[in-house]
Amino acid sequence: MIDRPTPQTHGWPGRLLGLLVLAIVTALAPTARAQGTGTINGTVIDTTSGKYLEGAEVSVQGSGATTTTARDGSFSLTGVPAGAQSVVVHYPGLEAKTESVTVGAGQPASVTLRLSTGEVLKMGEYRVSGMKEGVAQAIALQKLSVQSKMVVAADQFGEVSEGNVGEYLKFLPGVSVDYNVNDARGISLRGLSTTFTIVAVDGTPMAGTSSQDDTRRFEFEQIAMNNVETTELYKTVTPDIPASSTGGFVNFVTKSAFDSEGIQRFTYNASLSAPATNLHFSKQGGVWGHKEEYTIRPSLEMNYARRISEKLGFNVNYRLSEKYDDSPRTTALWYQTSSATLPTIFTSTPQLATYAFTSEEKLTHREALAAKVDYRISDSTKLSLSGQWNWYDLNFTQRGPRFALGNAGSATVYGGGSVSGDTYTSAPGTISSIQNIFLYRNKFGTTYHSNLTLDHEFTPKAKGSLTAYYSRANGKYRDIQKGFISSTAIMSPGAATYGAFTIKGLDREMPVVSLTSTTGTPVSLDFVRNLGNYTFSNTATGTNFQSRPFTAIDTKQGIAGSFNYELDHFALPVKLETGFASDDTTRYILRQAIVGQINATTGPALQALVDPKYTRDVAFGFGSYQAVDPFTVWDTFKGSLGRVITDDVREFNEKNNAVYLRADVNATPELLLIGGLRWEKREMDARAQSRASQANGLPTRSKPASADLEYDEIYPSLSFKYTPRANRNIVVRGGISRTVGHPDYADLVPTITAESVTGLNDGSVTVPDPDLKPYFSTNIDLSFDYYFKHSGVVGIYAYTKDVKNYFIGNTMTGPDLRAVIDDYGYDPTGIASGTVVQNGGKSRLSGIELSYAQNLSFLPKPFDGLNVQANFTYVDVSVSDPDPSRALDLEYSQLRAVSPQTANFILGYRYRDFSVTTTTNWVSESLFGGFVAGTFVTGTRGTATLPDTRLANYRDEKLTTDVKLEYSINKHLAVYFLVRNIFNSQRIDYYRGYLPQNQHVVLPFNRYEFGEPHLTLGVRGRF
């Protein structure tokens, strides 16, 4: 049982709310009602596209009446003096429009305003919208926003790889993407862990699942962005936003039939793509087991919108996306020696443990079908029903040789190699084995999401909304159920055959490997490439032949409602909003690993298992290599599986109830204050058990574990929007708020990591602190935006987040570790270390974001077709803890999977029917994973105390550039050619010493290439 934290009081919310109450009291002072006035109702439309324009600024000349348009382009101006009036409308990128209208006292007048670019278009020409229109839409919506937030249109950055939403979001300031190889999997907002990113669709949370990790983070790889009209990234927290939005809140706004005045519209986008390194027009073999597949893959997106009547309309969207990737890599792992003295790695020559060449082929298949029905039951009541289905299917293989040095089961033999320049040479007789590694996994799953929203206007000043939603995602790994085995490791003769292993160019793209025999005679690598020279065998306790079926299911459902009322009969306009939300989340995870005993198979019998179609270079010029066919291996040995070595089950149930009160007060015509309170009650119930039998005969690996966490808090916030009367192009926003960070699922239940090699005794356990509490953050935000007259904006955003009780892992040693092992019922054999998840001290995240976007239409021809977007983000972390030894752990915990600096530059140019778009993304060096301890971590082994020689995993900086060329033939057809990662930028990972005194130790880890440039040829258009 986890104790409930003691509620804490904060002085600043009371003071800030006092200011808000004072403003409301002032607003309630009665004033005289204007006489002889009327109302102007209207709609603003883009003449070229027929799209309703949201965020257009509408005013009446000579009066203070001003407003902005809603999503359907509508607006209403009240209190307009009776008589002839001129209505003026402004929208970024389009020419201003003035329309005359006569207003009657107490009577409504109607007007429709159509805006255009002012360009002279040929008869019948109807350009396909793109980056220019996307920039204009984003600028208009961003200026309209009350909170500090980024708004981006779906086509603002051009074509996005596979429709992956993560690739789309990485171009926003404050966003850092966590990649799995080259898949954008999770995003970090403003320097916080990906765990704390909330993703919503039309304001309701979307289910997302990981079948490998006990994490609440949303993984983007299972969804596509085909149904997204705009994306909102909230940075200032207001009472109507979940209190867990510490980093921010991502909301995807879906497409609607009422986004345009047209009765119907149809858009399409079809393309073919392939990596430049494996571009073939015929099927290629050996890519996925024994099958042949095309490396050129299709993608198709279609959207159909239909307005059946003025009250009923629907939008249907379908997307198919397939992508083939090559990802060759090299991987180096390092020993830290097995003695109790300071490991050699930190004093003299690093000792190479293994070196591997690996080819990875991936085939990603995505399908998504989405629909939305809008029904205007009456002029005051609207009903919206939306739903989407996403299918994700990934097949990936990893194959290649791995050279293992040293004897992992020995206490004395670990390399003894030497480094000369860029060449590493092992000591004679230290090659324990050469392994023929094969991994084939199939990950697939569906994601459903549905919303039902009812909006009702009780009076023009009183409106209510009620939304119910259901979302479900599942992710699975399967192998033997589909006729293949997921992984094998086949050994060659070791130290008795080989003398030394030499690698030249350890830190370069194309290293050269050579072998010598025990007599010093060179050994041809053809011996390594021939599968018949290996021996395939496995004991009942080994992992050389195993199946790993994983399953995860995430379900979210809930209901939310709001009611707002505008008070305009007093000195100051006030809008009050109150609402509630009730959310229920369930996550179920089952991870299994099944192994079996195989009699030794070698020579011709092993050659019979080879995949004859896999003959390509493994990686970086290593050459051809024989690998097994996983389907044949399974058919041959499928009777051998018999022992479950992993059987981990987890179930998490989470409930959250919230109510809030928000007040928007126009303190002056220039200053809007937004403040209020949000109360949330969170209940978490976690259950877990590692159920696999232990080698020593104990019935289970651990006892059932449980954790229950319950707490409720009040989260106040106060923010403002200030627009000087002297210059309406300036908008200053800011706010202060209190938010919460909930423990991740992995923080609530124990986990056990088995020893890497039997007899090595390097297994570990992680358990939660019984007194674990949520963390709380006090957030201060300030932003300054300047909106240019010609469709542009430049902004600077600064923030601090003072975090208390952040989650860290603290190392357990000695009696504490043994007590945990005994309490949970683990087998102490093989467990050398342990970690307890605790609350750390205090930390502060400080950041600055610079942003610029503009359509340069004011330049003389032909430069008036230029569009520019650029941004830069910098994040800094400082920490303090009563225990100084934990301060570094706290800092590393907050920086994991976060790029401290990011930059983007997007350049677009359109001249007549031709356009070009380039997108460049840069990320700085970052801490991306856990900590590697080599053979041991801090602790005791026998009677010896080991020093802290941990290594942190880092990812090097990376610059990626995409280029797209497009030619519009007419409104129905545009042809484009897209090159992704045109400079073939690689990803490089490395190790660095964890402690400051050890950070001079830098060792290569992974070097990835992604089979790029990736080429796409496509057509798109509309009817």
Side-chain angles (χ1 to χ4, degrees), residues 44 53-60 65-70 75 77 87-92 96-97 113 115 139-144 721 723 728-731 787-788:
V44 180
L53 297 178
E54 180 182 6
E57 297 181 18
V58 185
S59 61
V60 176
T66 182
T67 190
T68 53
T69 55
F75 67 90
L77 289 163
V87 179
V88 182
V89 60
H90 295 270
Y91 188 85
K97 183 71 174 292
L113 299 105
L115 307 185
I139 291 173
L141 295 179
Q142 185 172 320
K143 187 176 182 181
L144 170 66
K721 178 181 181 181
T723 304
R728 306 299 293 179
N729 293 322
I730 295 175
V731 178
Y787 294 87
F788 299 108

mmCIF file of all heavy atoms in Angstrom, residues 44 53-60 65-70 75 77 87-92 96-97 113 115 139-144 721 723 728-731 787-788:
data_model
loop_
_atom_site.group_PDB
_atom_site.id
_atom_site.type_symbol
_atom_site.label_atom_id
_atom_site.label_comp_id
_atom_site.label_asym_id
_atom_site.label_seq_id
_atom_site.Cartn_x
_atom_site.Cartn_y
_atom_site.Cartn_z
ATOM 1 N N VAL A 44 -17.191 34.527 -42.906
ATOM 2 C CA VAL A 44 -15.995 34.867 -43.673
ATOM 3 C C VAL A 44 -15.504 33.615 -44.380
ATOM 4 O O VAL A 44 -15.346 32.555 -43.761
ATOM 5 C CB VAL A 44 -14.891 35.443 -42.765
ATOM 6 C CG1 VAL A 44 -13.651 35.795 -43.578
ATOM 7 C CG2 VAL A 44 -15.402 36.667 -42.015
ATOM 8 N N LEU A 53 -13.157 30.537 -42.729
ATOM 9 C CA LEU A 53 -11.942 31.024 -42.095
ATOM 10 C C LEU A 53 -12.173 31.262 -40.610
ATOM 11 O O LEU A 53 -12.934 32.157 -40.221
ATOM 12 C CB LEU A 53 -11.464 32.308 -42.768
ATOM 13 C CG LEU A 53 -11.058 32.167 -44.244
ATOM 14 C CD1 LEU A 53 -10.654 33.511 -44.821
ATOM 15 C CD2 LEU A 53 -9.929 31.149 -44.386
ATOM 16 N N GLU A 54 -11.515 30.456 -39.792
ATOM 17 C CA GLU A 54 -11.561 30.626 -38.348
ATOM 18 C C GLU A 54 -10.432 31.563 -37.926
ATOM 19 O O GLU A 54 -9.312 31.485 -38.427
ATOM 20 C CB GLU A 54 -11.393 29.281 -37.648
ATOM 21 C CG GLU A 54 -11.436 29.369 -36.131
ATOM 22 C CD GLU A 54 -11.228 28.025 -35.470
ATOM 23 O OE1 GLU A 54 -10.941 27.037 -36.189
ATOM 24 O OE2 GLU A 54 -11.341 27.962 -34.227
ATOM 25 N N GLY A 55 -10.721 32.453 -36.993
ATOM 26 C CA GLY A 55 -9.696 33.360 -36.493
ATOM 27 C C GLY A 55 -9.574 34.657 -37.265
ATOM 28 O O GLY A 55 -8.678 35.456 -36.973
ATOM 29 N N ALA A 56 -10.449 34.910 -38.240
ATOM 30 C CA ALA A 56 -10.422 36.195 -38.939
ATOM 31 C C ALA A 56 -10.876 37.301 -37.992
ATOM 32 O O ALA A 56 -11.805 37.118 -37.196
ATOM 33 C CB ALA A 56 -11.321 36.147 -40.169
ATOM 34 N N GLU A 57 -10.231 38.473 -38.064
ATOM 35 C CA GLU A 57 -10.568 39.603 -37.199
ATOM 36 C C GLU A 57 -11.577 40.504 -37.904
ATOM 37 O O GLU A 57 -11.326 40.987 -39.010
ATOM 38 C CB GLU A 57 -9.306 40.380 -36.845
ATOM 39 C CG GLU A 57 -8.294 39.557 -36.057
ATOM 40 C CD GLU A 57 -7.065 40.364 -35.689
ATOM 41 O OE1 GLU A 57 -7.132 41.612 -35.737
ATOM 42 O OE2 GLU A 57 -6.033 39.759 -35.371
ATOM 43 N N VAL A 58 -12.713 40.689 -37.257
ATOM 44 C CA VAL A 58 -13.810 41.465 -37.843
ATOM 45 C C VAL A 58 -14.083 42.673 -36.947
ATOM 46 O O VAL A 58 -14.172 42.539 -35.721
ATOM 47 C CB VAL A 58 -15.084 40.611 -37.978
ATOM 48 C CG1 VAL A 58 -16.178 41.395 -38.690
ATOM 49 C CG2 VAL A 58 -14.784 39.307 -38.717
ATOM 50 N N SER A 59 -14.244 43.842 -37.558
ATOM 51 C CA SER A 59 -14.515 45.060 -36.778
ATOM 52 C C SER A 59 -15.429 45.979 -37.566
ATOM 53 O O SER A 59 -15.627 45.809 -38.776
ATOM 54 C CB SER A 59 -13.212 45.780 -36.435
ATOM 55 O OG SER A 59 -12.533 46.176 -37.606
ATOM 56 N N VAL A 60 -15.985 46.942 -36.856
ATOM 57 C CA VAL A 60 -16.823 47.965 -37.477
ATOM 58 C C VAL A 60 -16.052 49.285 -37.438
ATOM 59 O O VAL A 60 -15.609 49.712 -36.362
ATOM 60 C CB VAL A 60 -18.166 48.103 -36.735
ATOM 61 C CG1 VAL A 60 -18.992 49.237 -37.340
ATOM 62 C CG2 VAL A 60 -18.939 46.787 -36.798
ATOM 63 N N ALA A 65 -16.573 48.002 -31.718
ATOM 64 C CA ALA A 65 -17.081 46.648 -31.921
ATOM 65 C C ALA A 65 -16.069 45.824 -32.702
ATOM 66 O O ALA A 65 -15.707 46.175 -33.830
ATOM 67 C CB ALA A 65 -18.418 46.692 -32.658
ATOM 68 N N THR A 66 -15.617 44.719 -32.128
ATOM 69 C CA THR A 66 -14.655 43.846 -32.794
ATOM 70 C C THR A 66 -14.831 42.426 -32.281
ATOM 71 O O THR A 66 -15.254 42.208 -31.140
ATOM 72 C CB THR A 66 -13.208 44.314 -32.547
ATOM 73 O OG1 THR A 66 -12.297 43.455 -33.250
ATOM 74 C CG2 THR A 66 -12.861 44.292 -31.071
ATOM 75 N N THR A 67 -14.520 41.452 -33.110
ATOM 76 C CA THR A 67 -14.643 40.040 -32.736
ATOM 77 C C THR A 67 -13.790 39.205 -33.673
ATOM 78 O O THR A 67 -13.138 39.725 -34.584
ATOM 79 C CB THR A 67 -16.113 39.589 -32.786
ATOM 80 O OG1 THR A 67 -16.212 38.287 -32.198
ATOM 81 C CG2 THR A 67 -16.620 39.540 -34.214
ATOM 82 N N THR A 68 -13.796 37.914 -33.455
ATOM 83 C CA THR A 68 -13.099 36.977 -34.340
ATOM 84 C C THR A 68 -14.068 35.872 -34.743
ATOM 85 O O THR A 68 -15.036 35.575 -34.032
ATOM 86 C CB THR A 68 -11.883 36.356 -33.642
ATOM 87 O OG1 THR A 68 -12.286 35.786 -32.403
ATOM 88 C CG2 THR A 68 -10.799 37.399 -33.405
ATOM 89 N N THR A 69 -13.800 35.259 -35.867
ATOM 90 C CA THR A 69 -14.706 34.244 -36.403
ATOM 91 C C THR A 69 -14.488 32.890 -35.748
ATOM 92 O O THR A 69 -13.386 32.550 -35.308
ATOM 93 C CB THR A 69 -14.515 34.099 -37.920
ATOM 94 O OG1 THR A 69 -13.135 33.825 -38.190
ATOM 95 C CG2 THR A 69 -14.931 35.357 -38.642
ATOM 96 N N ALA A 70 -15.567 32.103 -35.689
ATOM 97 C CA ALA A 70 -15.527 30.748 -35.155
ATOM 98 C C ALA A 70 -15.055 29.783 -36.237
ATOM 99 O O ALA A 70 -14.740 30.182 -37.365
ATOM 100 C CB ALA A 70 -16.906 30.355 -34.636
ATOM 101 N N PHE A 75 -19.495 34.957 -37.289
ATOM 102 C CA PHE A 75 -19.200 35.956 -36.274
ATOM 103 C C PHE A 75 -20.477 36.705 -35.940
ATOM 104 O O PHE A 75 -21.458 36.687 -36.700
ATOM 105 C CB PHE A 75 -18.115 36.940 -36.743
ATOM 106 C CG PHE A 75 -18.543 37.832 -37.889
ATOM 107 C CD1 PHE A 75 -19.155 39.066 -37.658
ATOM 108 C CD2 PHE A 75 -18.325 37.442 -39.196
ATOM 109 C CE1 PHE A 75 -19.548 39.877 -38.707
ATOM 110 C CE2 PHE A 75 -18.721 38.249 -40.264
ATOM 111 C CZ PHE A 75 -19.328 39.476 -40.023
ATOM 112 N N LEU A 77 -21.439 40.576 -34.127
ATOM 113 C CA LEU A 77 -21.056 41.845 -33.512
ATOM 114 C C LEU A 77 -22.300 42.460 -32.885
ATOM 115 O O LEU A 77 -23.286 42.744 -33.588
ATOM 116 C CB LEU A 77 -20.459 42.792 -34.555
ATOM 117 C CG LEU A 77 -19.062 42.423 -35.092
ATOM 118 C CD1 LEU A 77 -18.772 43.181 -36.375
ATOM 119 C CD2 LEU A 77 -18.006 42.716 -34.049
ATOM 120 N N VAL A 87 -18.085 47.081 -42.375
ATOM 121 C CA VAL A 87 -17.471 45.949 -41.686
ATOM 122 C C VAL A 87 -16.143 45.638 -42.361
ATOM 123 O O VAL A 87 -16.073 45.487 -43.592
ATOM 124 C CB VAL A 87 -18.388 44.715 -41.724
ATOM 125 C CG1 VAL A 87 -17.733 43.540 -41.029
ATOM 126 C CG2 VAL A 87 -19.731 45.029 -41.082
ATOM 127 N N VAL A 88 -15.086 45.528 -41.571
ATOM 128 C CA VAL A 88 -13.745 45.260 -42.088
ATOM 129 C C VAL A 88 -13.270 43.925 -41.534
ATOM 130 O O VAL A 88 -13.425 43.641 -40.335
ATOM 131 C CB VAL A 88 -12.756 46.368 -41.681
ATOM 132 C CG1 VAL A 88 -11.375 46.100 -42.275
ATOM 133 C CG2 VAL A 88 -13.279 47.726 -42.117
ATOM 134 N N VAL A 89 -12.681 43.090 -42.388
ATOM 135 C CA VAL A 89 -12.179 41.793 -41.954
ATOM 136 C C VAL A 89 -10.735 41.639 -42.405
ATOM 137 O O VAL A 89 -10.363 42.016 -43.519
ATOM 138 C CB VAL A 89 -13.049 40.637 -42.494
ATOM 139 C CG1 VAL A 89 -13.078 40.627 -44.018
ATOM 140 C CG2 VAL A 89 -12.561 39.293 -41.964
ATOM 141 N N HIS A 90 -9.903 41.091 -41.505
ATOM 142 C CA HIS A 90 -8.492 40.827 -41.779
ATOM 143 C C HIS A 90 -8.207 39.353 -41.508
ATOM 144 O O HIS A 90 -8.687 38.776 -40.534
ATOM 145 C CB HIS A 90 -7.593 41.686 -40.882
ATOM 146 C CG HIS A 90 -7.700 43.158 -41.143
ATOM 147 N ND1 HIS A 90 -6.910 43.819 -42.049
ATOM 148 C CD2 HIS A 90 -8.512 44.098 -40.595
ATOM 149 C CE1 HIS A 90 -7.212 45.105 -42.057
ATOM 150 N NE2 HIS A 90 -8.186 45.299 -41.171
ATOM 151 N N TYR A 91 -7.369 38.765 -42.382
ATOM 152 C CA TYR A 91 -6.940 37.386 -42.199
ATOM 153 C C TYR A 91 -5.543 37.251 -42.778
ATOM 154 O O TYR A 91 -5.268 37.778 -43.871
ATOM 155 C CB TYR A 91 -7.897 36.411 -42.908
ATOM 156 C CG TYR A 91 -7.616 34.956 -42.610
ATOM 157 C CD1 TYR A 91 -8.133 34.344 -41.475
ATOM 158 C CD2 TYR A 91 -6.817 34.194 -43.462
ATOM 159 C CE1 TYR A 91 -7.877 33.010 -41.195
ATOM 160 C CE2 TYR A 91 -6.553 32.859 -43.195
ATOM 161 C CZ TYR A 91 -7.084 32.269 -42.050
ATOM 162 O OH TYR A 91 -6.824 30.945 -41.776
ATOM 163 N N PRO A 92 -4.613 36.567 -42.087
ATOM 164 C CA PRO A 92 -3.237 36.462 -42.569
ATOM 165 C C PRO A 92 -3.149 35.879 -43.970
ATOM 166 O O PRO A 92 -3.797 34.872 -44.283
ATOM 167 C CB PRO A 92 -2.578 35.515 -41.547
ATOM 168 C CG PRO A 92 -3.393 35.659 -40.319
ATOM 169 C CD PRO A 92 -4.795 35.890 -40.787
ATOM 170 N N ALA A 96 -7.384 42.355 -47.081
ATOM 171 C CA ALA A 96 -8.469 42.820 -46.221
ATOM 172 C C ALA A 96 -9.699 43.145 -47.066
ATOM 173 O O ALA A 96 -9.588 43.517 -48.238
ATOM 174 C CB ALA A 96 -8.026 44.041 -45.422
ATOM 175 N N LYS A 97 -10.863 43.014 -46.459
ATOM 176 C CA LYS A 97 -12.111 43.241 -47.185
ATOM 177 C C LYS A 97 -13.004 44.165 -46.357
ATOM 178 O O LYS A 97 -13.122 44.010 -45.130
ATOM 179 C CB LYS A 97 -12.824 41.902 -47.413
ATOM 180 C CG LYS A 97 -14.105 41.986 -48.212
ATOM 181 C CD LYS A 97 -13.815 42.300 -49.693
ATOM 182 C CE LYS A 97 -15.073 42.247 -50.540
ATOM 183 N NZ LYS A 97 -15.613 40.883 -50.675
ATOM 184 N N LEU A 113 -18.548 37.797 -46.198
ATOM 185 C CA LEU A 113 -17.319 38.421 -46.676
ATOM 186 C C LEU A 113 -16.406 37.347 -47.253
ATOM 187 O O LEU A 113 -16.079 36.366 -46.583
ATOM 188 C CB LEU A 113 -16.604 39.158 -45.544
ATOM 189 C CG LEU A 113 -17.412 40.289 -44.900
ATOM 190 C CD1 LEU A 113 -17.925 39.851 -43.533
ATOM 191 C CD2 LEU A 113 -16.596 41.558 -44.786
ATOM 192 N N LEU A 115 -12.740 36.544 -48.951
ATOM 193 C CA LEU A 115 -11.384 37.066 -49.045
ATOM 194 C C LEU A 115 -10.581 36.292 -50.077
ATOM 195 O O LEU A 115 -10.819 35.106 -50.319
ATOM 196 C CB LEU A 115 -10.682 36.966 -47.684
ATOM 197 C CG LEU A 115 -11.399 37.573 -46.476
ATOM 198 C CD1 LEU A 115 -10.509 37.500 -45.253
ATOM 199 C CD2 LEU A 115 -11.812 39.004 -46.751
ATOM 200 N N ILE A 139 -1.252 30.968 -38.082
ATOM 201 C CA ILE A 139 -1.042 32.301 -37.509
ATOM 202 C C ILE A 139 -2.362 32.881 -37.018
ATOM 203 O O ILE A 139 -2.446 33.453 -35.921
ATOM 204 C CB ILE A 139 -0.378 33.224 -38.545
ATOM 205 C CG1 ILE A 139 1.061 32.777 -38.803
ATOM 206 C CG2 ILE A 139 -0.407 34.672 -38.086
ATOM 207 C CD1 ILE A 139 1.738 33.513 -39.928
ATOM 208 N N ALA A 140 -3.411 32.730 -37.813
ATOM 209 C CA ALA A 140 -4.715 33.267 -37.413
ATOM 210 C C ALA A 140 -5.214 32.621 -36.123
ATOM 211 O O ALA A 140 -5.700 33.299 -35.210
ATOM 212 C CB ALA A 140 -5.725 33.068 -38.537
ATOM 213 N N LEU A 141 -5.089 31.298 -36.023
ATOM 214 C CA LEU A 141 -5.586 30.597 -34.841
ATOM 215 C C LEU A 141 -4.716 30.861 -33.621
ATOM 216 O O LEU A 141 -5.218 30.921 -32.489
ATOM 217 C CB LEU A 141 -5.653 29.092 -35.127
ATOM 218 C CG LEU A 141 -6.650 28.677 -36.212
ATOM 219 C CD1 LEU A 141 -6.605 27.173 -36.430
ATOM 220 C CD2 LEU A 141 -8.058 29.123 -35.869
ATOM 221 N N GLN A 142 -3.433 31.022 -33.849
ATOM 222 C CA GLN A 142 -2.548 31.298 -32.727
ATOM 223 C C GLN A 142 -2.825 32.682 -32.139
ATOM 224 O O GLN A 142 -2.829 32.863 -30.921
ATOM 225 C CB GLN A 142 -1.093 31.205 -33.187
ATOM 226 C CG GLN A 142 -0.083 31.370 -32.065
ATOM 227 C CD GLN A 142 1.330 31.078 -32.536
ATOM 228 O OE1 GLN A 142 1.558 30.159 -33.310
ATOM 229 N NE2 GLN A 142 2.274 31.880 -32.079
ATOM 230 N N LYS A 143 -3.071 33.660 -32.996
ATOM 231 C CA LYS A 143 -3.370 35.006 -32.506
ATOM 232 C C LYS A 143 -4.707 35.032 -31.771
ATOM 233 O O LYS A 143 -4.875 35.739 -30.782
ATOM 234 C CB LYS A 143 -3.385 35.993 -33.668
ATOM 235 C CG LYS A 143 -3.522 37.441 -33.220
ATOM 236 C CD LYS A 143 -3.438 38.401 -34.393
ATOM 237 C CE LYS A 143 -3.518 39.855 -33.910
ATOM 238 N NZ LYS A 143 -3.453 40.817 -35.040
ATOM 239 N N LEU A 144 -5.639 34.214 -32.235
ATOM 240 C CA LEU A 144 -6.961 34.161 -31.622
ATOM 241 C C LEU A 144 -6.921 33.572 -30.216
ATOM 242 O O LEU A 144 -7.721 33.929 -29.354
ATOM 243 C CB LEU A 144 -7.890 33.322 -32.511
ATOM 244 C CG LEU A 144 -9.264 32.935 -31.966
ATOM 245 C CD1 LEU A 144 -10.125 34.177 -31.798
ATOM 246 C CD2 LEU A 144 -9.927 31.936 -32.905
ATOM 247 N N LYS A 721 -3.865 37.725 -21.163
ATOM 248 C CA LYS A 721 -3.573 38.060 -22.553
ATOM 249 C C LYS A 721 -3.681 39.565 -22.689
ATOM 250 O O LYS A 721 -4.716 40.150 -22.377
ATOM 251 C CB LYS A 721 -4.543 37.356 -23.508
ATOM 252 C CG LYS A 721 -4.312 37.699 -24.978
ATOM 253 C CD LYS A 721 -5.318 36.982 -25.882
ATOM 254 C CE LYS A 721 -5.077 37.301 -27.353
ATOM 255 N NZ LYS A 721 -6.076 36.621 -28.231
ATOM 256 N N THR A 723 -3.081 42.876 -25.238
ATOM 257 C CA THR A 723 -2.881 43.416 -26.584
ATOM 258 C C THR A 723 -2.947 44.931 -26.505
ATOM 259 O O THR A 723 -4.026 45.499 -26.287
ATOM 260 C CB THR A 723 -3.959 42.897 -27.560
ATOM 261 O OG1 THR A 723 -3.956 41.470 -27.541
ATOM 262 C CG2 THR A 723 -3.691 43.382 -28.972
ATOM 263 N N ARG A 728 -2.146 46.681 -32.183
ATOM 264 C CA ARG A 728 -2.897 45.438 -32.034
ATOM 265 C C ARG A 728 -2.145 44.240 -32.577
ATOM 266 O O ARG A 728 -2.624 43.108 -32.472
ATOM 267 C CB ARG A 728 -4.252 45.553 -32.742
ATOM 268 C CG ARG A 728 -5.092 46.749 -32.325
ATOM 269 C CD ARG A 728 -5.448 46.721 -30.848
ATOM 270 N NE ARG A 728 -6.350 45.621 -30.522
ATOM 271 C CZ ARG A 728 -6.799 45.375 -29.296
ATOM 272 N NH1 ARG A 728 -6.386 46.123 -28.280
ATOM 273 N NH2 ARG A 728 -7.628 44.372 -29.067
ATOM 274 N N ASN A 729 -0.965 44.460 -33.152
ATOM 275 C CA ASN A 729 -0.168 43.353 -33.661
ATOM 276 C C ASN A 729 0.685 42.713 -32.580
ATOM 277 O O ASN A 729 1.332 41.697 -32.817
ATOM 278 C CB ASN A 729 0.732 43.831 -34.806
ATOM 279 C CG ASN A 729 -0.065 44.240 -36.025
ATOM 280 O OD1 ASN A 729 -1.074 43.612 -36.350
ATOM 281 N ND2 ASN A 729 0.356 45.302 -36.688
ATOM 282 N N ILE A 730 0.715 43.309 -31.402
ATOM 283 C CA ILE A 730 1.476 42.762 -30.288
ATOM 284 C C ILE A 730 0.535 42.016 -29.351
ATOM 285 O O ILE A 730 -0.516 42.530 -28.975
ATOM 286 C CB ILE A 730 2.205 43.880 -29.514
ATOM 287 C CG1 ILE A 730 3.271 44.537 -30.401
ATOM 288 C CG2 ILE A 730 2.843 43.331 -28.245
ATOM 289 C CD1 ILE A 730 3.952 45.719 -29.739
ATOM 290 N N VAL A 731 0.921 40.806 -28.988
ATOM 291 C CA VAL A 731 0.152 40.022 -28.020
ATOM 292 C C VAL A 731 1.124 39.463 -26.984
ATOM 293 O O VAL A 731 2.083 38.774 -27.336
ATOM 294 C CB VAL A 731 -0.626 38.871 -28.686
ATOM 295 C CG1 VAL A 731 -1.377 38.062 -27.625
ATOM 296 C CG2 VAL A 731 -1.593 39.402 -29.726
ATOM 297 N N TYR A 787 2.727 40.083 -34.554
ATOM 298 C CA TYR A 787 2.103 39.621 -35.788
ATOM 299 C C TYR A 787 2.311 40.671 -36.877
ATOM 300 O O TYR A 787 1.864 41.815 -36.755
ATOM 301 C CB TYR A 787 0.611 39.356 -35.556
ATOM 302 C CG TYR A 787 0.382 38.212 -34.606
ATOM 303 C CD1 TYR A 787 0.354 38.428 -33.222
ATOM 304 C CD2 TYR A 787 0.224 36.916 -35.062
ATOM 305 C CE1 TYR A 787 0.167 37.378 -32.334
ATOM 306 C CE2 TYR A 787 0.031 35.863 -34.185
ATOM 307 C CZ TYR A 787 0.004 36.099 -32.828
ATOM 308 O OH TYR A 787 -0.169 35.054 -31.960
ATOM 309 N N PHE A 788 2.987 40.255 -37.937
ATOM 310 C CA PHE A 788 3.268 41.173 -39.030
ATOM 311 C C PHE A 788 2.008 41.423 -39.856
ATOM 312 O O PHE A 788 1.083 40.600 -39.888
ATOM 313 C CB PHE A 788 4.359 40.598 -39.945
ATOM 314 C CG PHE A 788 5.663 40.360 -39.242
ATOM 315 C CD1 PHE A 788 6.088 39.075 -38.966
ATOM 316 C CD2 PHE A 788 6.466 41.424 -38.855
ATOM 317 C CE1 PHE A 788 7.279 38.842 -38.314
ATOM 318 C CE2 PHE A 788 7.666 41.209 -38.207
ATOM 319 C CZ PHE A 788 8.077 39.912 -37.932
#
